[in-house]
Every structure is written in C-alpha cells, then in structure tokens.
C-alpha cells in the first residue's frame, strides 16, 4: 500500500483515564464502520471483539480487533443478522457492550431487548420504533398509486411516501397529479445522554442520491440559512427528548424550495456520513456514543457546537459505471496517494476481496476546507490521486458530480442525477481541447517509454511522427522533445506537455499548457496500447509509429465474437432465476435470467429474437464475470 502526503482526520479523541467506560466492546458489524469503531476504542483503551462470516475471516476489521469470532457462513441471514450467534459471541468473549454500527442489527428492536436482558450495554437506544411512529400521524400501506392519492386527499398535503421495504426512498407528495417533487434532503445529527440533555450538531446535505442511496454528502448544506438550521435543530432535539433517546442519532428532513421542512424519520444509529459532522464540529461521535452508553453526561452545550469549515464525503464503491449504474465485483488490490485535509474511512486493504454478499463500498473519501470551494478542490485532487487496481469503481461519476457547474453552484436536489444524466452516466465527455490534451499526453508517454529503452534498443530520434487511435478516430501527431518537455502538434495546434515521467508510478502528474493535471496510467503495453485515467474517466488509446500504423493496415482484422447469440454474466453474482429452457423462442429484450450481486438484482435479456440453444446455469448457481449463461441459435 502506497501512501503519499499527510492524511488529516478532522476530529479528536482525547482519552481521559478517569473516564472509566468498558473493558471490552463487541462490534456487531463489518467493513469500514467496524474499523472506524475499533480505532476510537483503541484510543480510549478499550479492547475490541470483531464478528465475521467465514468469507470475512481475513478482513481488515478482523485483523484490527483484539479478538474475533466467526458467526456463520457468508449470507447475512446466517452471520451478521444471526442474533443467536452474536449473543453467543458476547458470552464467549465477555464483552460488556455492543456497538452495532449501521445496517444489519443496528436498529433491530429484538436485538436491543436481548442485550438488555443480558445486561449488556448497546450504544444505541431500543426506542427507535417509537420515535418513528410518534411524529408521523398517519401510517398506511398502499397497494397502488390510486389508493395513495385517495388517502392523501383525505388527510391533506403534503404527505411523505416511503417504500414499505425501506431502502431510503422517501418521497414528498405536494399534489395528487405530482406524487413526487424535488426537495433537499437534510439530516440533523443529534446527541442525547441519559440525563435529559440533548444537542444538535448541525446538518448534513444528502441530496445527491442514486437508486435512492446517498452518493455525495456535505456539511453544512448550501441551502439552509441560520434561522432554518436552528428551527430544524430545535425540533430534532425536541424529538429526541420526547422519546427519551440516548446516543447519537439522526433526524431526517425534506426541505422544499421555500425552506419549509418536513420530518421524514429518525435513524437511531450512527450514519454512514457521520465523518463530515466530525470534521466541522471536532467531535468524535463514536467516543460520545460510548461515553453516553456508560452513563456520562454530555460535556458540551449547544453554544459549544461550531460550524468550522466545510466537509464533503464521496462514497467510493466497486461497480461498473457504464451499465447505467450497474455493478461489478472483483478481487481488490488498491492503494492510495493522498493530500492533506483528506480523510479515508475504509475496511479494505491491498489484496482484500469485495464479496458479492455485502455492500460494495471501498471507502468513504472525505475532504475538508475552510470554505466549500477549498473542500471541493481538495476532493477533485483526492479523486484524481486515488489509485485503485483490480476493481472497477465509481470514481468517474464522483468526479463528474463535484466539478459539475450545477453542483458547484449549490443547485442540487434529490433529482440531481436523473436530471443531469437522464440516460445514465457514460463517463466524461471530452471537449475538443481535452481530447488534444489526452492525445498529447499519450504521445509524450509513449516517447518517454521508448527513450527509456534507448540504451537497450539503440538510438531514437528526438523528433517523430506518431499515429494515435482514440474512440475509433485516428490522429497523426508530431512530437519533439527537450529534456522532460514535449511539444505535440495536433491538427495545427501545439500542446506543451511536461513532467517527471516516472514510468514505474501509477500516478502521472504532468503540466499541460501550463496547467497541472493528475493522470493515472492504467495500462501500457509493448504494442502501444495505453489506458489513461484522465479527468476521472479511463480512456483506451493506441500509439504507433508512422511505419507501424502503415503496416497495420495490411494486417488481417480479428473477427469479434457474435455476442448476440450468447449471454455472459457481466459481473460475479448468484443466479436468482432462469426464465427459459432449451427450445424456447425468445424475443429481443425478453428477460432470460436474473443475476444478484451486492444486494442488487440485474435482469439479463436476449439481444435478438431467436430460439434457445442451451442453458448453462440454474437458480442458486454462483457465477463469475464472463461466465456463459445462455446460448441462442
């Protein structure tokens, strides 16, 4: 793992030996949140117990903990949601308290009750169901939209509509003909102790969502003014006090364009995006949760809670962004090269497996600045310097979001992604100037590599003509060199490119026409194939000498595989259902099978109308990327 620069965590854990808490805490979770809790426990002198499934036996959180207990096989129902196994682990290790993190059992009332009966502290309250019911005056399950409109008309608008199975999708209905409307999603962080004290720690802006899941968060929000923030905070605290809540929790509101805000729900747990609150307040929320669980009073007053600067969090996931937000999972081999004022919360390391059974998060990338502009610039730099190998990821999308003019201006809502990318995200679209920059960089890199081989392959002229292929386009370039500086002529335009040209490094920091750029060289072969990550997106190029390009025209072309007759799995996963059998006639676009990966079901469809020749999978099978599923005649 390569790390450059300084990583600054913008929160402070000060361990006071006089504050006796627990000797040992079990973390009923996995991944980055388990690692996050363990870090604070270590600073507080508390021993930790990790639980894990059999496929997580070598996970980072297992290695970090003082003890580890296997609680079952890979499926979550048999491991991380297995209350009996986790209760046995508590008994086996003698843990005095449990931190459930988020997800899994973090808001499970039955789990909380079992811990109370065992006299084991839990760092969340068991009152969460009450807090969600008390402040929503009408709850009903609807069979269809018509029934929803009918009931909404009876009780009055606005109303909130949430998917019955959860998943984060909460919609605000203003009128019967428009069941969902744009809004800003704000989460108010609260802290409450067991002595009736409660604080609000400002808001987190969580409107940038994909598939109703948060992608980019920031604190504070660009939309709220001090008066609205205070009113929301006071209502959040009132809610926590009304249900006698104790611990860290989050109250979610939807805010309309007129800054009217509406209660959505209360999450009685630590949230994924808690680091940005820690950045602007300086508080360690995990430490606060532990102190509260032990019975300590809050040491801060509301006037002590600052908004100190600006923080932005990007959720880095393993997935294939060009499948209209589809997913992919591979063995992960990643390392980081970062700047100052950057925080990384991660539960993986070089060689980690990103399993099909769990959330595909690689890390939470957080940047901090005195202003939003500085935090955004730091995020752009951090994403450009974030080196990940062995797994496709969503960094191209994250970078596009944080540099998009609409996002930079603060014009955001829960509809941001579908409005900006109505046909799905396809990667960065190059302007003419950016295309020249990319072509020139590839040409300069090619020449630098040839010059490095000069002592072995003989002399190489400092002036050369090259043919560069990009997106089925062919470009003739003239390249001249002076030291580490290259002048590349493209279609009558000159591009100046300079850098150290360290060909052994994954990072390629260069200057193009006086502007600093951070690129990454993902692939470079002797055949002139070069893949560069530029402005967040990877681009495949091919660089050839003028002679090689001429001779290449006379080479026979490889006939590509007829993919319309075969269906391969685009990702590792499990087969949920197979809808056809040999001899069946299928139409173009008809569903053939369903593959589940990382909690998402993906429908695989026929590319043409034909008869099924053979089926190579069945429900329950585990498949890898590229595995043959079905053949058509």
């Amino acid at each position: 793992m390569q790390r450059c620069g300084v990583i600054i965590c913008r929160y402070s854990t000060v361990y006071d030996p006089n504050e006796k808490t627990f000797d040992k805490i079990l973390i009923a979770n996995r991944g980055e949140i388990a690692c996050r809790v363990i870090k604070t426990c270590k600073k507080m002198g508390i021993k930790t117990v990790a639980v894990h499934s059999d496929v997580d036996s070598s996970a980072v959180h297992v290695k970090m903990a003082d003890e580890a207990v296997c609680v079952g096989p890979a499926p979550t129902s048999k491991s991380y949601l297995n209350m009996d196994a986790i209760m046995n682990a508590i008994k086996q290790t003698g843990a005095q308290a449990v931190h459930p993190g988020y997800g899994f059992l973090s808001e499970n009332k039955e789990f909380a009750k079992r811990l109370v009966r065992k006299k084991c502290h839990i760092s969340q309250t068991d009152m969460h169901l009450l807090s969600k019911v008390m402040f929503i005056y009408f709850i009903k399950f609807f069979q269809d939209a018509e029934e929803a409109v009918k009931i909404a008309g009876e009780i009055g608008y606005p109303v909130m509509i949430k998917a019955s199975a959860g998943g984060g999708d909460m919609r605000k209905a203003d009128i019967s003909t428009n069941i969902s409307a744009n809004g800003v999603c704000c989460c108010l962080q609260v802290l409450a102790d067991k002595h009736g004290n409660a604080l609000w720690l400002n808001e987190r802006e969580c409107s940038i969502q994909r598939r109703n899941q948060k992608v980019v968060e920031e604190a504070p929000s660009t939309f709220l003014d001090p008066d609205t923030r205070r009113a929301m905070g006071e209502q959040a605290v009132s809610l926590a006090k009304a249900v006698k809540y104790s611990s860290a929790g989050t109250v979610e509101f939807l805010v309309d364009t007129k800054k009217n805000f509406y209660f959505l729900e209360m999450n009685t747990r630590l949230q994924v995006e808690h680091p940005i609150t820690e950045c602007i307040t300086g508080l360690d929320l995990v430490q606060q949760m532990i102190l509260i669980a032990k019975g300590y009073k809050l040491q801060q007053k509301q006037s002590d809670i600052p908004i100190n600067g600006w923080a932005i969090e990007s959720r880095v996931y393993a997935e294939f962004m060009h499948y209209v937000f589809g997913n992919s999972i591979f063995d992960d081999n990643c390392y980081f090269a970062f700047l100052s004022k950057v925080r990384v919360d991660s539960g993986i390391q070089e060689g980690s497996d990103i399993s099909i059974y769990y959330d595909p998060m690689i890390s939470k990338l957080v940047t901090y600045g005195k202003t939003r502009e500085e935090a955004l610039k730091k995020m752009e730099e951090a994403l450009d310097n974030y080196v990940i190998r062995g797994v496709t990821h969503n960094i191209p999308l994250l970078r596009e979001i944080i540099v998009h003019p609409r996002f930079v201006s603060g014009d955001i809502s829960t509809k941001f992604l579908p409005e900006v990318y109505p046909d799905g995200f396809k990667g960065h679209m190059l302007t003419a100037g950016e295309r020249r920059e990319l072509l020139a960089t590839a040409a300069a890199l090619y020449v630098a590599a040839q010059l490095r081989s000069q002592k072995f392959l003989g002399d190489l002229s400092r002036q050369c003509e090259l043919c560069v292929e990009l997106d089925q386009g062919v470009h003739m370039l003239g390249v001249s060199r002076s030291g580490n500086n290259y002048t590349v002529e493209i279609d009558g335009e000159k591009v100046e490119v300079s850098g150290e040209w360290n060909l052994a490094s994954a990072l390629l920091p260069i200057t193009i026409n006086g502007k600093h750029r951070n690129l990454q060289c993902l692939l470079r072969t002797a055949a002139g194939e070069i893949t560069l990550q530029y402005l967040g997106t990877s681009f495949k190029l091919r660089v050839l000498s003028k002679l090689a390009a001429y001779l290449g025209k006379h080479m026979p072309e490889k006939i590509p595989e007829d993919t319309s007759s075969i269906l391969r799995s685009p990702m590792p996963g499990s087969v949920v259902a197979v809808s056809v059998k040999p001899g069946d006639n299928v139409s173009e676009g008809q569903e053939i099978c369903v593959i589940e990966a990382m909690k998402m079901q993906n429908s695989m469809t026929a590319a043409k109308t034909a008869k099924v020749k053979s089926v190579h999978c069945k429900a329950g099978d585990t498949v890898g990327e590229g595995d043959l599923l079905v053949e058509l005649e």
Side-chain angles (χ1 to χ4, degrees), residues 359-387:
D359 185 272
M361 181 182 286
I362 294 175
S363 72
K364 298 181 307 196
L365 179 62
V366 182
T367 57
Y368 171 84
K370 292 181 180 179
T371 63
R372 186 172 187 261
E373 182 181 6
E374 182 184 351
L376 282 172
K377 186 62 179 176
K378 286 291 181 183
M379 181 61 72
E380 180 182 349
E381 294 173 352
L383 290 168
D384 283 342
N385 281 274
Y386 203 147
V387 179

mmCIF file of all heavy atoms in Angstrom, residues 359-387:
data_model
loop_
_atom_site.group_PDB
_atom_site.id
_atom_site.type_symbol
_atom_site.label_atom_id
_atom_site.label_comp_id
_atom_site.label_asym_id
_atom_site.label_seq_id
_atom_site.Cartn_x
_atom_site.Cartn_y
_atom_site.Cartn_z
ATOM 1 N N ASP A 359 -22.282 -5.027 1.018
ATOM 2 C CA ASP A 359 -22.205 -3.709 0.407
ATOM 3 C C ASP A 359 -20.844 -3.543 -0.267
ATOM 4 O O ASP A 359 -19.811 -3.893 0.318
ATOM 5 C CB ASP A 359 -22.392 -2.650 1.498
ATOM 6 C CG ASP A 359 -22.456 -1.254 0.928
ATOM 7 O OD1 ASP A 359 -21.385 -0.634 0.765
ATOM 8 O OD2 ASP A 359 -23.561 -0.788 0.656
ATOM 9 N N PRO A 360 -20.807 -3.012 -1.498
ATOM 10 C CA PRO A 360 -19.548 -2.939 -2.244
ATOM 11 C C PRO A 360 -18.704 -1.705 -1.958
ATOM 12 O O PRO A 360 -17.867 -1.330 -2.779
ATOM 13 C CB PRO A 360 -20.037 -2.925 -3.692
ATOM 14 C CG PRO A 360 -21.331 -2.183 -3.614
ATOM 15 C CD PRO A 360 -21.964 -2.599 -2.313
ATOM 16 N N MET A 361 -18.908 -1.068 -0.805
ATOM 17 C CA MET A 361 -18.156 0.145 -0.516
ATOM 18 C C MET A 361 -16.662 -0.140 -0.367
ATOM 19 O O MET A 361 -16.252 -1.045 0.361
ATOM 20 C CB MET A 361 -18.674 0.815 0.753
ATOM 21 C CG MET A 361 -17.935 2.099 1.097
ATOM 22 S SD MET A 361 -18.508 2.870 2.635
ATOM 23 C CE MET A 361 -20.075 3.548 2.085
ATOM 24 N N ILE A 362 -15.863 0.638 -1.064
ATOM 25 C CA ILE A 362 -14.411 0.585 -0.910
ATOM 26 C C ILE A 362 -13.982 1.513 0.216
ATOM 27 O O ILE A 362 -13.185 1.131 1.077
ATOM 28 C CB ILE A 362 -13.710 0.995 -2.226
ATOM 29 C CG1 ILE A 362 -14.000 -0.046 -3.313
ATOM 30 C CG2 ILE A 362 -12.209 1.148 -2.014
ATOM 31 C CD1 ILE A 362 -13.457 0.340 -4.676
ATOM 32 N N SER A 363 -14.530 2.712 0.228
ATOM 33 C CA SER A 363 -14.173 3.655 1.288
ATOM 34 C C SER A 363 -15.115 4.838 1.274
ATOM 35 O O SER A 363 -15.902 5.033 0.347
ATOM 36 C CB SER A 363 -12.731 4.157 1.113
ATOM 37 O OG SER A 363 -12.656 5.036 0.004
ATOM 38 N N LYS A 364 -15.011 5.638 2.315
ATOM 39 C CA LYS A 364 -15.632 6.962 2.367
ATOM 40 C C LYS A 364 -14.483 7.960 2.294
ATOM 41 O O LYS A 364 -13.640 8.013 3.180
ATOM 42 C CB LYS A 364 -16.429 7.136 3.646
ATOM 43 C CG LYS A 364 -17.583 6.152 3.779
ATOM 44 C CD LYS A 364 -18.404 6.338 5.030
ATOM 45 C CE LYS A 364 -17.602 6.348 6.288
ATOM 46 N NZ LYS A 364 -18.426 6.163 7.504
ATOM 47 N N LEU A 365 -14.467 8.715 1.223
ATOM 48 C CA LEU A 365 -13.415 9.702 0.985
ATOM 49 C C LEU A 365 -13.926 11.070 1.410
ATOM 50 O O LEU A 365 -14.919 11.558 0.881
ATOM 51 C CB LEU A 365 -13.028 9.689 -0.492
ATOM 52 C CG LEU A 365 -11.959 10.681 -0.943
ATOM 53 C CD1 LEU A 365 -10.638 10.416 -0.237
ATOM 54 C CD2 LEU A 365 -11.786 10.611 -2.455
ATOM 55 N N VAL A 366 -13.261 11.671 2.386
ATOM 56 C CA VAL A 366 -13.721 12.931 2.973
ATOM 57 C C VAL A 366 -12.643 13.993 2.818
ATOM 58 O O VAL A 366 -11.473 13.749 3.117
ATOM 59 C CB VAL A 366 -14.059 12.754 4.472
ATOM 60 C CG1 VAL A 366 -14.571 14.055 5.065
ATOM 61 C CG2 VAL A 366 -15.086 11.635 4.661
ATOM 62 N N THR A 367 -13.050 15.166 2.340
ATOM 63 C CA THR A 367 -12.119 16.290 2.273
ATOM 64 C C THR A 367 -12.674 17.449 3.082
ATOM 65 O O THR A 367 -13.883 17.599 3.238
ATOM 66 C CB THR A 367 -11.883 16.749 0.820
ATOM 67 O OG1 THR A 367 -13.131 17.099 0.214
ATOM 68 C CG2 THR A 367 -11.216 15.662 0.019
ATOM 69 N N TYR A 368 -11.768 18.260 3.571
ATOM 70 C CA TYR A 368 -12.131 19.355 4.475
ATOM 71 C C TYR A 368 -11.442 20.628 4.017
ATOM 72 O O TYR A 368 -10.304 20.615 3.526
ATOM 73 C CB TYR A 368 -11.694 19.005 5.894
ATOM 74 C CG TYR A 368 -11.829 20.149 6.876
ATOM 75 C CD1 TYR A 368 -13.040 20.399 7.503
ATOM 76 C CD2 TYR A 368 -10.743 20.970 7.166
ATOM 77 C CE1 TYR A 368 -13.171 21.453 8.391
ATOM 78 C CE2 TYR A 368 -10.866 22.025 8.053
ATOM 79 C CZ TYR A 368 -12.075 22.255 8.668
ATOM 80 O OH TYR A 368 -12.210 23.294 9.548
ATOM 81 N N GLY A 369 -12.123 21.759 4.175
ATOM 82 C CA GLY A 369 -11.523 23.047 3.857
ATOM 83 C C GLY A 369 -12.167 24.161 4.661
ATOM 84 O O GLY A 369 -13.239 23.986 5.249
ATOM 85 N N LYS A 370 -11.529 25.289 4.676
ATOM 86 C CA LYS A 370 -12.105 26.445 5.375
ATOM 87 C C LYS A 370 -13.366 26.916 4.677
ATOM 88 O O LYS A 370 -14.260 27.486 5.302
ATOM 89 C CB LYS A 370 -11.083 27.570 5.448
ATOM 90 C CG LYS A 370 -9.886 27.262 6.343
ATOM 91 C CD LYS A 370 -8.924 28.444 6.392
ATOM 92 C CE LYS A 370 -7.733 28.144 7.291
ATOM 93 N NZ LYS A 370 -6.773 29.277 7.329
ATOM 94 N N THR A 371 -13.432 26.686 3.361
ATOM 95 C CA THR A 371 -14.603 27.064 2.578
ATOM 96 C C THR A 371 -15.042 25.870 1.742
ATOM 97 O O THR A 371 -14.306 24.891 1.564
ATOM 98 C CB THR A 371 -14.280 28.233 1.630
ATOM 99 O OG1 THR A 371 -13.268 27.787 0.686
ATOM 100 C CG2 THR A 371 -13.748 29.430 2.399
ATOM 101 N N ARG A 372 -16.264 25.968 1.187
ATOM 102 C CA ARG A 372 -16.750 24.898 0.315
ATOM 103 C C ARG A 372 -15.870 24.787 -0.930
ATOM 104 O O ARG A 372 -15.581 23.686 -1.412
ATOM 105 C CB ARG A 372 -18.204 25.168 -0.090
ATOM 106 C CG ARG A 372 -18.855 24.041 -0.890
ATOM 107 C CD ARG A 372 -20.341 24.307 -1.076
ATOM 108 N NE ARG A 372 -21.015 23.176 -1.678
ATOM 109 C CZ ARG A 372 -21.311 23.084 -2.985
ATOM 110 N NH1 ARG A 372 -20.981 24.069 -3.803
ATOM 111 N NH2 ARG A 372 -21.942 22.017 -3.458
ATOM 112 N N GLU A 373 -15.447 25.918 -1.453
ATOM 113 C CA GLU A 373 -14.588 25.925 -2.636
ATOM 114 C C GLU A 373 -13.300 25.132 -2.384
ATOM 115 O O GLU A 373 -12.866 24.338 -3.224
ATOM 116 C CB GLU A 373 -14.251 27.356 -3.037
ATOM 117 C CG GLU A 373 -13.398 27.466 -4.286
ATOM 118 C CD GLU A 373 -13.063 28.903 -4.639
ATOM 119 O OE1 GLU A 373 -13.395 29.813 -3.837
ATOM 120 O OE2 GLU A 373 -12.474 29.125 -5.709
ATOM 121 N N GLU A 374 -12.702 25.344 -1.213
ATOM 122 C CA GLU A 374 -11.476 24.617 -0.880
ATOM 123 C C GLU A 374 -11.747 23.126 -0.711
ATOM 124 O O GLU A 374 -10.973 22.288 -1.175
ATOM 125 C CB GLU A 374 -10.854 25.170 0.408
ATOM 126 C CG GLU A 374 -9.548 24.479 0.784
ATOM 127 C CD GLU A 374 -8.988 24.961 2.114
ATOM 128 O OE1 GLU A 374 -9.505 25.945 2.668
ATOM 129 O OE2 GLU A 374 -8.023 24.326 2.604
ATOM 130 N N ALA A 375 -12.851 22.780 -0.045
ATOM 131 C CA ALA A 375 -13.186 21.366 0.152
ATOM 132 C C ALA A 375 -13.440 20.673 -1.180
ATOM 133 O O ALA A 375 -13.036 19.517 -1.380
ATOM 134 C CB ALA A 375 -14.403 21.244 1.069
ATOM 135 N N LEU A 376 -14.119 21.358 -2.109
ATOM 136 C CA LEU A 376 -14.372 20.783 -3.424
ATOM 137 C C LEU A 376 -13.077 20.582 -4.204
ATOM 138 O O LEU A 376 -12.892 19.562 -4.877
ATOM 139 C CB LEU A 376 -15.319 21.684 -4.220
ATOM 140 C CG LEU A 376 -16.802 21.615 -3.865
ATOM 141 C CD1 LEU A 376 -17.570 22.699 -4.608
ATOM 142 C CD2 LEU A 376 -17.379 20.246 -4.198
ATOM 143 N N LYS A 377 -12.190 21.563 -4.132
ATOM 144 C CA LYS A 377 -10.912 21.445 -4.832
ATOM 145 C C LYS A 377 -10.105 20.288 -4.268
ATOM 146 O O LYS A 377 -9.478 19.524 -5.022
ATOM 147 C CB LYS A 377 -10.132 22.760 -4.703
ATOM 148 C CG LYS A 377 -8.839 22.780 -5.517
ATOM 149 C CD LYS A 377 -9.116 22.627 -7.001
ATOM 150 C CE LYS A 377 -7.835 22.680 -7.830
ATOM 151 N NZ LYS A 377 -8.099 22.431 -9.268
ATOM 152 N N LYS A 378 -10.122 20.134 -2.947
ATOM 153 C CA LYS A 378 -9.418 19.015 -2.324
ATOM 154 C C LYS A 378 -10.011 17.677 -2.766
ATOM 155 O O LYS A 378 -9.297 16.698 -2.975
ATOM 156 C CB LYS A 378 -9.476 19.136 -0.805
ATOM 157 C CG LYS A 378 -8.587 20.210 -0.222
ATOM 158 C CD LYS A 378 -7.118 19.845 -0.382
ATOM 159 C CE LYS A 378 -6.221 20.915 0.225
ATOM 160 N NZ LYS A 378 -4.786 20.608 0.004
ATOM 161 N N MET A 379 -11.341 17.637 -2.900
ATOM 162 C CA MET A 379 -11.985 16.403 -3.341
ATOM 163 C C MET A 379 -11.585 16.059 -4.769
ATOM 164 O O MET A 379 -11.304 14.887 -5.095
ATOM 165 C CB MET A 379 -13.504 16.521 -3.212
ATOM 166 C CG MET A 379 -14.268 15.271 -3.632
ATOM 167 S SD MET A 379 -13.850 13.790 -2.647
ATOM 168 C CE MET A 379 -14.649 14.225 -1.090
ATOM 169 N N GLU A 380 -11.566 17.067 -5.627
ATOM 170 C CA GLU A 380 -11.145 16.837 -7.012
ATOM 171 C C GLU A 380 -9.729 16.274 -7.063
ATOM 172 O O GLU A 380 -9.440 15.299 -7.775
ATOM 173 C CB GLU A 380 -11.222 18.151 -7.799
ATOM 174 C CG GLU A 380 -10.814 18.024 -9.255
ATOM 175 C CD GLU A 380 -10.862 19.358 -9.992
ATOM 176 O OE1 GLU A 380 -11.402 20.331 -9.431
ATOM 177 O OE2 GLU A 380 -10.345 19.422 -11.119
ATOM 178 N N GLU A 381 -8.831 16.859 -6.278
ATOM 179 C CA GLU A 381 -7.452 16.391 -6.243
ATOM 180 C C GLU A 381 -7.350 14.986 -5.657
ATOM 181 O O GLU A 381 -6.595 14.137 -6.156
ATOM 182 C CB GLU A 381 -6.596 17.362 -5.421
ATOM 183 C CG GLU A 381 -6.454 18.736 -6.054
ATOM 184 C CD GLU A 381 -5.743 19.721 -5.139
ATOM 185 O OE1 GLU A 381 -5.502 19.377 -3.966
ATOM 186 O OE2 GLU A 381 -5.428 20.837 -5.591
ATOM 187 N N ALA A 382 -8.119 14.737 -4.598
ATOM 188 C CA ALA A 382 -8.073 13.425 -3.953
ATOM 189 C C ALA A 382 -8.575 12.332 -4.882
ATOM 190 O O ALA A 382 -7.995 11.243 -4.956
ATOM 191 C CB ALA A 382 -8.892 13.445 -2.663
ATOM 192 N N LEU A 383 -9.646 12.604 -5.619
ATOM 193 C CA LEU A 383 -10.173 11.609 -6.557
ATOM 194 C C LEU A 383 -9.188 11.345 -7.688
ATOM 195 O O LEU A 383 -9.020 10.196 -8.126
ATOM 196 C CB LEU A 383 -11.521 12.073 -7.117
ATOM 197 C CG LEU A 383 -12.686 12.060 -6.123
ATOM 198 C CD1 LEU A 383 -13.885 12.798 -6.701
ATOM 199 C CD2 LEU A 383 -13.074 10.633 -5.740
ATOM 200 N N ASP A 384 -8.516 12.393 -8.164
ATOM 201 C CA ASP A 384 -7.515 12.212 -9.220
ATOM 202 C C ASP A 384 -6.316 11.409 -8.716
ATOM 203 O O ASP A 384 -5.651 10.719 -9.500
ATOM 204 C CB ASP A 384 -7.036 13.566 -9.738
ATOM 205 C CG ASP A 384 -8.038 14.229 -10.671
ATOM 206 O OD1 ASP A 384 -8.918 13.516 -11.182
ATOM 207 O OD2 ASP A 384 -7.948 15.452 -10.876
ATOM 208 N N ASN A 385 -6.034 11.506 -7.412
ATOM 209 C CA ASN A 385 -4.884 10.820 -6.839
ATOM 210 C C ASN A 385 -5.241 9.469 -6.213
ATOM 211 O O ASN A 385 -4.378 8.806 -5.649
ATOM 212 C CB ASN A 385 -4.234 11.698 -5.760
ATOM 213 C CG ASN A 385 -3.357 12.780 -6.351
ATOM 214 O OD1 ASN A 385 -2.190 12.574 -6.629
ATOM 215 N ND2 ASN A 385 -3.940 13.948 -6.584
ATOM 216 N N TYR A 386 -6.494 9.090 -6.296
ATOM 217 C CA TYR A 386 -6.963 7.855 -5.673
ATOM 218 C C TYR A 386 -6.665 6.697 -6.626
ATOM 219 O O TYR A 386 -7.287 6.559 -7.676
ATOM 220 C CB TYR A 386 -8.458 7.944 -5.414
ATOM 221 C CG TYR A 386 -8.996 7.036 -4.334
ATOM 222 C CD1 TYR A 386 -10.069 7.439 -3.560
ATOM 223 C CD2 TYR A 386 -8.451 5.789 -4.094
ATOM 224 C CE1 TYR A 386 -10.580 6.635 -2.563
ATOM 225 C CE2 TYR A 386 -8.951 4.967 -3.107
ATOM 226 C CZ TYR A 386 -10.023 5.397 -2.346
ATOM 227 O OH TYR A 386 -10.535 4.585 -1.379
ATOM 228 N N VAL A 387 -5.717 5.864 -6.252
ATOM 229 C CA VAL A 387 -5.283 4.766 -7.118
ATOM 230 C C VAL A 387 -5.932 3.466 -6.660
ATOM 231 O O VAL A 387 -5.731 3.024 -5.534
ATOM 232 C CB VAL A 387 -3.743 4.620 -7.095
ATOM 233 C CG1 VAL A 387 -3.309 3.464 -7.985
ATOM 234 C CG2 VAL A 387 -3.091 5.919 -7.540
#
